[in-house]
Amino acid sequence: MPSRRLNDVLLEKKLWWLISGLCVAGVGIALLSQHVFDMQPCAWCVFQRLIYLALAVVAALAASTQSLIPRLVCAMVGLSLAIAGVSAAWFQAQVASQSFSCAQTLADLLMTQTGLETAMPALFGIYASCMDARVKLFGLEYAYWSLLLFVLLGLLIAFIMKGFLGPRKPA
């Protein structure tokens, strides 16, 4: 029985590191698209980058701790961030990308009022309107790719949480 529990914890750690890596990879692809292929981001694009980075940190913290309660808290925060990311990507694709300006939206206000846009312009600079930032990759807009990644991350976290809450099977 202890080896079964140990295997569960090791799988959980691997999944948390996978989540963290996927988040960093998502931001890396966005930065590559921006700085190499000149696909300039809008406020909602950089807001999603912030969510990815926050989720990467939460996932790394969860992977680095042995205690159950902090891991459970990380799972709840992580799932909340994934849901926020899905919401932001959906809003960008369905609403913001149909508008000429993202100015004064939640994403714009958060990025500018916190000073992130000016403090780290290479990462969080807003250089395009939401309509101008509508770019397709393999026939699908970036916002939908981001939405799919957030869904995947949310499903991985839900799977981890199922391990906390699900019944334990005998070895």
Side-chain angles (χ1 to χ4, degrees), residues 3-68:
S3 68
R4 173 84 175 147
R5 181 68 187 133
L6 179 62
N7 288 339
D8 290 347
V9 171
L10 290 175
L11 174 61
E12 180 188 332
K13 284 186 173 298
K14 288 178 183 177
L15 288 174
W16 281 122
W17 285 120
L18 174 64
I19 290 166
S20 187
L22 286 171
C23 289
V24 171
V27 173
I29 290 169
L31 291 172
L32 178 74
S33 298
Q34 176 184 348
H35 297 291
V36 175
F37 299 110
D38 200 34
M39 296 176 187
Q40 298 305 308
C42 68
W44 286 95
C45 297
V46 296
F47 179 56
Q48 289 170 68
R49 291 178 189 181
L50 180 63
I51 296 171
Y52 280 123
L53 293 174
L55 183 50
V57 169
V58 168
L61 287 171
S64 300
T65 186
Q66 298 294 328
S67 301
L68 178 65

Side-chain angles (χ1 to χ4, degrees), residues 87-108:
S87 300
W90 181 89
F91 185 84
Q92 178 187 358
Q94 293 294 311
V95 179
S97 67
Q98 309 303 317
S99 304
F100 289 108
S101 174
C102 306
Q104 303 304 310
T105 63
L106 172 68
D108 179 62

Side-chain angles (χ1 to χ4, degrees), residues 64-134:
S64 300
T65 186
Q66 298 294 328
S67 301
L68 178 65
I69 299 299
R71 289 188 351 254
L72 184 56
V73 169
C74 286
M76 290 186 293
V77 170
L79 188 57
S80 298
L81 286 167
I83 291 168
V86 166
S87 300
W90 181 89
F91 185 84
Q92 178 187 358
Q94 293 294 311
V95 179
S97 67
Q98 309 303 317
S99 304
F100 289 108
S101 174
C102 306
Q104 303 304 310
T105 63
L106 172 68
D108 179 62
L109 292 172
L110 181 72
M111 300 314 294
T112 56
Q113 296 298 316
T114 59
L116 286 171
E117 182 191 21
T118 54
M120 293 182 267
L123 181 59
F124 296 121
I126 301 168
Y127 298 109
S129 72
C130 293
M131 190 175 277
D132 292 337
R134 288 180 72 177

